[in-house]
Amino acid sequence: MTETDPGAGSDLRGTDARDGDGADASAPPAGDDDALVEVRGLRKYYYEDDTLIDRLLRREPTSIQAVDGVDLDIERGETLGLVGESGCGKSTTGETLLRLRDATDGSVRFDGEDVLSMGSSELRRFRKRAQIVFQDPFSSLDPRMTVGDVIAEGLKIHDLPAADPDVAVEADVTVDGDADVEVTVDDDVDTAVESEGGVARVPVRVDATGAGATGSADGGTRADGGPTVSFGRYDDVLAAEVTPRDGGYDVHVSVGASKRTLRRERARTLLERVGLSAGQIDRYPHEFSGGQRQRVGIARALALDPEFIVLDEPVSALDVSVQAQILNLLDDLQSEYGLTYLFIAHDLSVVRHICDRVAVMYLGEVVETGTTEELFESPKHPYTEALLESVPRADTSEQGRRVETLSGDVPSPRDPPSGCRFRTRCPEVIPPAGVAVDQSTYRSVMDLRDRLRRGDFGTGVVWEAVGDPDREDTEAFKREVRAEFGLDGLTGANGDTVEDALEVLANGREREAAERLTERFESVCETEEPVLPDEPHPAACHLYDDERAAAGVDDDADPVTDPEFGGAGMAAGMETPDPEAAGGELPDGVSDPEHGVSDGDSSDADDADDHDASEDDRDGSEP
Amino acid sequence: MSRDPTDAEPAGAPAGSPDDVLRVRNLTTRFFTEEGQVNAVEGVDFDVRDGEVFGIVGESGSGKSVTALSVIDLVESPGRITDGEVWYREPDLAAEFEDDVPAAVDGEFVDVRRLPEGVRRSLRGPSFSMIFQDPMSSLNPSVTVGEQIAEAVEVQRRASANPRRTRSRTQGYGLGRLLVDTLVPGRGYTSEASEARAVELLEQVGIPDPAERADEYPHQFSGGMLQRAMVAQALAGEPDVLIADEPTTALDVTIQAQILNLLRDLQAEQDTSVVMITHDLGVIARMCQRVGVMYAGQVVERGTLADVFDDPVHPYTEGLLGSIPDMDEPASRLEPIEGNVPSLLDSEMGERCYFADRCPKAMEDCLRPIPMYDAEGSDEHETRCVLAVEEYDEAAALPDGYFESEPDSASESGSADDPAAGEEVSTGD
């Protein structure tokens, strides 16, 4: 797996990369020859309240962390899928790595060059090699330009076509009739003739049979009395000069058209390549349907012969049948031109179809990467699992399938949750060691704590609901809060803590209540940000901490003394390679890994067990 | 619009299952545009039964949304419903109009299209309700979400207070009342009771802190929350038939799953019949018991979910299914339908199977209008394709490029898609 970067050290993507540009920029791109694009610690923040007046008033600008420390490797010739829900920062990532937006931090290397520090001339060259196809085919084409102009615009900006000194020019000469013909070709003919494998072959057909005849049907060039020279499909753009000599002719081939004509020719070729007809070159975008416009967008991206194309949701605005046509086209173009794609999408079935590897984003961070096969067959991160689960399959077995949905919406990137950003919706949050509680109740406690922490709990509202403006009936208050947050399932030490905290809360001391709850219920998921480990198929999730620790270098580490491990051990029922070994060290009540947090599939039975476990564990873990 | 009395048709509801709550027959809607007549809906038939979810699937421009609008009579100029019947089972209504409009009544069924305008309007809300595709643009941005739902509740409340006979309830709230309410503070269309009910509805559709959210404006809601609010609004009238037009297209998959679960729960709870309109075959598969596939304004295949998904007869249905990448068993290459959706302009439609120009199995027999044929599978499986009654015959196949040589479509097959088709493109991100 080339994702692993042996020279870069195991923590690169976790910690070093977050320090930003420094470390990476100084070090040469290590090891990996295949990566065409290397993104490290890419961040893009937008700021609100950042005007001059705000600064004069000394207001703190609010940052919106659209992209927050993304690492990606895109290898030559592969398609990397970038998936996630709207607002997770996938499009911003795509645009920032092409420098269409200025990155806040991080580094992007394209073929070894640092994109983010390029000067204008370097950037211009980079733009030629890296292109983008936008999502919306209706707003991404200038309505006042013909599609021919749209496609040729890039060529015009780069003053193309220009002769490439690396491309050799050869003539494929066919001579009809009996004549000794010597053909010479101008070096810059490669501007008009498509090159293949570094050689531009000019098909030259010299018809010497009718020497002296008048004219030729196919519009070839005819020297007076000499042979007819034709260039097949290049007739319009090439010119020949025929010089008679002893026993034969010298033919000199040169470009016989202006750059403008050449660009137009190129646009025609591209239109045909993407499945439109060359005759449509003078039409305006509104004359095309959505699928056809998207083809024009693809032709525009191809015009400069790029190596790398960011495809930003290229098919999500299209109908299914047209979508399939475009996906097939993208597939063909990739194998034909050896393109590398970054395929940004929210439709997982499309990603599954077209991508070699996939990175899943959530709220500005990559939470899991892997080959398409790995990711779809055995997703690791609970978010990936939820995404896959949610997609409706077009199959009769889908009938009536009930999806366990994620609760709530994606949190605001203005104030992302602490620790793991997914924890507010995660169905597998890890309770601390020694706290046995079923997931839904744990979620309820967490919701209550979040509300208290954010300071929008509103004790007054509860008292109002209780109907006791004097705030005396604390029992009723507690009942009300329990009912609202669904905290009735708690027993044992957990129940005591909650009871305690509600008592404090009823007395109006919100912060203290929050502290009491936090003391017992704080999860590793909120205190520590999970990092994307350096391994094949990594997932940034604490559920895999123990697995990693078990496989890690430090075999002697006592799992229980490691605070991170303790929590994760709870969830180890499904994954721990050797539950006995770990279980022996765990405190009472969690010794049986099956009593851990349910892994989502075995919910009910486990929940029941959890209650028992928490009863058992009362003595051991009471503060 | 009043019906031409000379346009006499055999009275009586068409035959169908006794469970039917809605029988739509020969529904035809045309748009009279500057470019010509657009046949958006062309003789559509379908039935909706008690408590079922009926799916209509098709691409953009296939006429599925216009079908929905036609059923609840919301087609606006330049569009007009030119023909068809919408038989709705409602014994009370039938009894009421038995004498006045006998042609519109048959047993418990009423042909809604023959009822007076005011009555048709009064059915919207308590009988038919609709969830629109784009929640952002379907709610009024300058009115709080709670008030908009309360309005729907109020309509329903006044409806039950004033029996239907006294015409539409909105007519009880005329210009005079509006002026008074605008000038006198503290008077609005909605009452406290309806506002409280709006909060209840918001809670029912799973919006946290409903009392607070009710006072917020649509822009303060996320897309998923707004769609929930739309569902709440549609449910305010406790409709018999709920038409959901692409209810989840603008949403992310995880939110889509939430909304689909919600719709299914509410549907089971209230025993509402749902017409689910979508382009997403996955949503159809998850939600619907019976399905109709639309193409170019016609239902080209219909039947149970298994009929349509497992034994499709129409090459369009096959093509649609072949176009979707399979998540669980990815194929190396998709098999899309070539070409584009036709323009639906009357002058370009021709007397033939509308799919023939894109069909891989087009034959000479396809060059005539095709009726619905029974197909194998369940009793309900029908398709508008000659392949249901004859085998594909290579010898009779139309030569390649047959349609390209047709006048008007040379070298631009499908490129003249009308802009209207484009506007319906999903906004999903």
Side-chain angles (χ1 to χ4, degrees):
Chain A
M1 174 91 198
T2 38
E3 176 76 45
T4 316
D5 198 342
S10 62
D11 279 328
L12 174 71
R13 63 194 68 232
T15 50
D16 289 0
R18 286 173 203 288
D19 296 336
D21 215 291
D24 277 296
S26 55
D32 210 330
D33 291 333
D34 277 346
L36 179 65
V37 183
E38 280 184 356
V39 181
R40 289 289 176 274
L42 190 69
R43 281 156 201 257
K44 174 68 194 172
Y45 293 179
Y46 295 98
Y47 290 94
E48 276 181 349
D49 303 332
D50 197 24
T51 61
L52 186 62
I53 294 173
D54 288 318
R55 266 184 239 177
L56 287 174
L57 294 171
R58 293 178 185 252
R59 283 187 200 144
E60 279 291 308
T62 346
S63 67
I64 297 159
Q65 306 173 6
V67 178
D68 198 18
V70 162
D71 302 336
L72 294 170
D73 282 305
I74 309 170
E75 285 151 37
R76 278 173 215 281
E78 81 165 351
T79 304
L80 176 71
L82 194 57
V83 298
E85 293 178 279
S86 50
C88 74
K90 52 192 192 306
S91 291
T92 309
T93 304
E95 288 170 15
T96 310
L97 70 83
L98 287 182
R99 239 181 108 176
L100 296 176
R101 296 177 188 280
D102 284 325
T104 308
D105 197 3
S107 80
V108 177
R109 291 188 162 273
F110 180 80
D111 202 9
E113 287 175 72
D114 187 349
V115 175
L116 301 184
S117 64
M118 280 179 178
S120 64
S121 63
E122 287 167 304
L123 194 59
R124 210 181 165 87
R125 252 176 288 140
F126 167 69
R127 291 257 189 269
K128 192 167 162 288
R129 301 172 68 189
Q131 285 286 318
I132 184 164
V133 175
F134 294 100
Q135 168 173 9
D136 183 356
F138 294 88
S139 62
S140 60
L141 299 178
D142 187 336
R144 290 187 287 187
M145 286 168 86
T146 64
V147 299
D149 291 340
V150 165
I151 295 170
E153 192 180 17
L155 295 166
K156 198 171 162 190
I157 288 168
H158 288 270
D159 197 26
L160 293 175
D164 185 343
D166 295 339
V167 174
V169 176
E170 283 179 18
D172 272 346
V173 185
T174 324
V175 181
D176 296 330
D178 188 27
D180 177 19
V181 178
E182 197 73 30
V183 176
T184 52
V185 185
D186 265 358
D187 277 346
D188 66 351
V189 163
D190 61 318
T191 57
V193 176
E194 265 184 80
S195 61
E196 224 180 298
V199 183
R201 288 180 188 282
V202 188
V204 183
R205 191 179 187 94
V206 183
D207 184 0
T209 51
T214 49
S216 79
D218 55 3
T221 312
R222 196 178 70 83
D224 195 29
T228 315
V229 183
S230 60
F231 307 100
R233 66 193 176 105
Y234 299 114
D235 268 347
D236 292 341
V237 292
L238 294 181
E241 195 182 328
V242 181
T243 326
R245 62 169 163 78
D246 226 13
Y249 302 94
D250 280 332
V251 176
H252 184 74
V253 180
S254 58
V255 179
S258 65
K259 278 196 171 181
R260 198 184 124 71
T261 316
L262 291 176
R263 287 197 284 262
R264 219 176 132 77
E265 278 309 305
R266 172 99 173 118
R268 283 171 179 278
T269 318
L270 284 165
L271 275 175
E272 295 206 321
R273 184 62 202 86
V274 297
L276 299 170
S277 85
Q280 294 169 320
I281 188 165
D282 288 323
R283 293 198 182 189
Y284 286 89
H286 75 265
E287 296 174 73
F288 293 90
S289 68
Q292 290 171 323
R293 281 186 226 200
Q294 200 56 292
R295 288 175 194 266
V296 173
I298 293 170
R300 171 173 62 183
L302 288 175
L304 291 168
D305 262 331
E307 293 155 59
F308 173 58
I309 302 183
V310 173
L311 301 161
D312 188 358
E313 305 255 16
V315 296
S316 53
L318 307 176
D319 276 317
V320 274
S321 69
V322 180
Q323 166 179 310
Q325 294 170 7
I326 300 288
L327 289 176
N328 282 348
L329 172 68
L330 288 171
D331 217 13
D332 295 343
L333 293 173
Q334 181 169 43
S335 41
E336 194 175 326
Y337 300 114
L339 295 168
T340 304
Y341 290 150
L342 175 64
F343 192 94
I344 299 170
H346 69 279
D347 185 335
L348 288 152
S349 53
V350 168
V351 166
R352 167 109 219 212
H353 179 75
I354 200 166
C355 296
D356 302 310
R357 287 192 312 125
V358 183
V360 182
M361 275 187 83
Y362 186 77
L363 213 57
E365 294 179 341
V366 173
V367 297
E368 182 168 357
T369 66
T371 62
T372 309
E373 187 77 15
E374 283 169 346
L375 200 114
F376 280 78
E377 296 300 331
S378 50
K380 280 180 162 180
H381 199 284
Y383 178 61
T384 315
E385 284 173 14
L387 271 184
L388 295 178
E389 166 85 2
S390 303
V391 179
R393 271 75 164 171
D395 190 276
T396 35
S397 63
E398 179 77 13
Q399 168 89 73
R401 182 167 76 95
R402 194 170 176 89
V403 176
E404 286 308 318
T405 56
L406 291 177
S407 57
D409 276 323
V410 183
S412 160
R414 278 181 189 80
D415 178 24
S418 64
C420 173
R421 292 188 169 185
F422 185 55
R423 72 173 168 87
T424 54
R425 302 171 78 196
C426 183
E428 295 177 52
V429 186
I430 304 161
V435 176
V437 56
D438 71 274
Q439 187 64 220
S440 69
T441 319
Y442 189 60
R443 159 72 53 213
S444 309
V445 177
M446 199 179 213
D447 288 345
L448 174 61
R449 288 175 44 218
D450 269 338
R451 285 280 286 277
L452 289 171
R453 187 184 60 78
R454 288 203 310 267
D456 61 355
F457 178 75
T459 325
V461 178
V462 180
W463 282 115
E464 227 170 81
V466 171
D468 182 6
D470 303 330
R471 308 197 170 188
E472 276 167 357
D473 190 356
T474 50
E475 284 308 313
F477 178 89
K478 285 190 268 186
R479 266 202 307 280
E480 179 69 24
V481 178
R482 277 174 193 281
E484 191 181 335
F485 286 88
L487 299 173
D488 288 325
L490 285 163
T491 49
N494 298 329
D496 293 348
T497 311
V498 171
E499 176 71 27
D500 211 25
L502 290 183
E503 183 73 39
V504 173
L505 187 59
N507 291 323
R509 301 201 299 273
E510 289 190 17
R511 183 172 297 177
E512 197 182 330
E515 277 164 14
R516 294 211 181 183
L517 288 172
T518 303
E519 206 175 303
R520 178 158 180 88
F521 291 105
E522 186 163 60
S523 162
V524 62
C525 298
E526 37 190 317
T527 51
E528 281 183 47
E529 190 173 343
V531 295
L532 205 59
D534 188 22
E535 61 184 24
H537 191 182
C541 180
H542 289 301
L543 286 172
Y544 301 93
D545 284 354
D546 60 318
E547 196 181 306
R548 247 167 249 140
V553 276
D554 195 1
D555 285 328
D556 294 327
D558 182 352
V560 181
T561 57
D562 181 351
E564 234 178 281
F565 184 80
M570 293 287 301
M574 56 190 190
E575 295 286 356
T576 311
D578 187 358
E580 294 302 77
E585 301 285 342
L586 290 170
D588 285 353
V590 287
S591 60
D592 184 350
E594 277 172 25
H595 283 170
V597 175
S598 66
D599 62 9
D601 292 322
S602 53
S603 48
D604 289 352
D606 274 6
D607 288 353
D609 285 351
D610 284 338
H611 292 302
D612 297 343
S614 69
E615 291 284 355
D616 296 344
D617 125 64
R618 183 187 272 206
D619 294 335
S621 49
E622 193 130 63
Chain B
M1 68 212 75
S2 60
R3 271 182 88 81
D4 187 350
T6 59
D7 175 13
E9 277 177 39
S17 155
D19 295 336
D20 290 343
V21 63
L22 199 65
R23 289 178 192 156
V24 176
R25 290 292 175 274
N26 194 31
L27 193 64
T28 305
T29 304
R30 307 208 186 287
F31 285 80
F32 300 94
T33 67
E34 283 179 12
E35 286 163 62
Q37 176 186 329
V38 177
N39 300 346
V41 178
E42 177 97 358
V44 163
D45 301 349
F46 64 88
D47 302 327
V48 182
R49 300 198 181 137
D50 272 334
E52 79 163 351
V53 184
F54 178 74
I56 296 180
V57 65
E59 296 180 278
S60 52
S62 64
K64 53 192 193 307
S65 291
V66 181
T67 302
L69 294 175
S70 304
V71 168
I72 61 171
D73 198 21
L74 280 179
V75 178
E76 286 184 0
S77 175
R80 193 143 59 78
I81 304 168
T82 55
D83 201 3
E85 298 156 35
V86 178
W87 290 93
Y88 168 53
R89 196 183 70 205
E90 170 66 286
D92 296 345
L93 200 63
E96 193 178 325
F97 285 95
E98 207 159 10
D99 302 327
D100 295 352
V101 197
V105 178
D106 181 27
E108 295 189 337
F109 279 88
V110 185
D111 181 7
V112 177
R113 296 242 318 113
R114 293 187 221 205
L115 297 180
E117 168 88 41
V119 177
R120 286 211 300 263
R121 193 203 290 173
S122 73
L123 291 175
R124 268 177 245 139
S127 294
F128 304 108
S129 194
M130 186 149 173
I131 302 172
F132 294 95
Q133 171 172 3
D134 183 0
M136 294 287 175
S137 61
S138 305
L139 289 170
N140 186 338
S142 59
V143 178
T144 63
V145 171
E147 188 172 348
Q148 296 188 53
I149 296 169
E151 277 175 7
V153 176
E154 188 72 10
V155 167
Q156 165 72 4
R157 209 179 57 79
R158 294 184 187 204
S160 26
N162 305 350
R164 189 176 283 111
R165 199 181 293 277
T166 55
R167 301 173 59 206
S168 168
R169 70 231 42 157
T170 40
Q171 287 163 13
Y173 189 85
L175 185 64
R177 288 278 301 281
L178 175 73
L179 286 173
V180 172
D181 290 353
T182 318
L183 296 173
V184 182
R187 279 176 57 98
Y189 180 68
T190 57
S191 63
E192 247 173 56
S194 57
E195 273 158 23
R197 173 75 183 136
V199 173
E200 263 173 51
L201 282 165
L202 282 175
E203 183 161 25
Q204 198 184 352
V205 296
I207 291 184
D209 306 328
E212 290 162 35
R213 300 308 296 255
D215 292 332
E216 291 183 2
Y217 289 89
H219 74 269
Q220 291 166 295
F221 277 56
S222 67
M225 285 295 156
L226 266 191
Q227 195 59 282
R228 284 170 190 266
M230 289 267 297
V231 173
Q233 194 181 31
L235 292 175
E238 292 167 15
D240 292 344
V241 179
L242 179 65
I243 298 174
D245 184 8
E246 304 266 14
T248 59
T249 303
L251 307 175
D252 283 314
V253 274
T254 58
I255 310 296
Q256 164 171 296
Q258 291 174 3
I259 298 288
L260 293 181
N261 279 358
L262 170 73
L263 275 176
R264 191 186 297 153
D265 290 347
L266 293 171
Q267 188 248 343
E269 220 170 86
Q270 310 193 345
D271 203 31
T272 311
S273 304
V274 177
V275 180
M276 175 72 93
I277 294 171
T278 176
H279 70 279
D280 187 333
L281 289 159
V283 171
I284 291 280
R286 188 177 293 173
M287 299 292 290
C288 304
Q289 287 89 48
R290 296 187 310 125
V291 191
V293 181
M294 282 193 74
Y295 184 77
Q298 295 180 322
V299 174
V300 295
E301 184 152 12
R302 75 175 155 237
T304 62
L305 190 71
D307 289 337
V308 174
F309 277 63
D310 294 342
D311 304 304
V313 175
H314 203 290
Y316 176 68
T317 315
E318 281 178 359
L320 215 48
L321 289 164
S323 296
I324 319 166
D326 190 335
M327 272 255 298
D328 300 320
E329 294 157 34
S332 59
R333 196 149 177 93
L334 300 173
E335 287 162 19
I337 307 165
E338 295 306 323
N340 288 290
V341 181
S343 72
L344 305 181
L345 272 176
D346 188 51
S347 53
E348 291 175 16
M349 291 306 274
E351 291 280 302
R352 58 170 169 89
C353 167
Y354 296 149
F355 186 61
D357 56 339
R358 299 172 75 188
C359 184
K361 293 180 178 173
M363 293 184 286
E364 279 157 18
D365 284 348
C366 304
L367 299 175
R368 58 181 170 86
I370 312 290
M372 270 306 213
Y373 293 109
D374 277 333
E376 283 174 32
S378 78
D379 293 345
E380 299 175 24
H381 193 189
E382 287 181 290
T383 180
R384 199 178 284 279
C385 180
V386 294
L387 292 175
V389 286
E390 56 185 284
E391 289 288 306
Y392 176 59
D393 180 7
E394 289 270 0
L398 293 172
D400 281 351
Y402 175 87
F403 291 99
E404 272 150 47
S405 57
E406 263 187 7
D408 223 359
S409 63
S411 85
E412 53 184 87
S413 53
S415 62
D417 283 23
D418 62 324
E423 278 163 23
E424 209 190 306
V425 164
S426 75
T427 53
D429 174 18

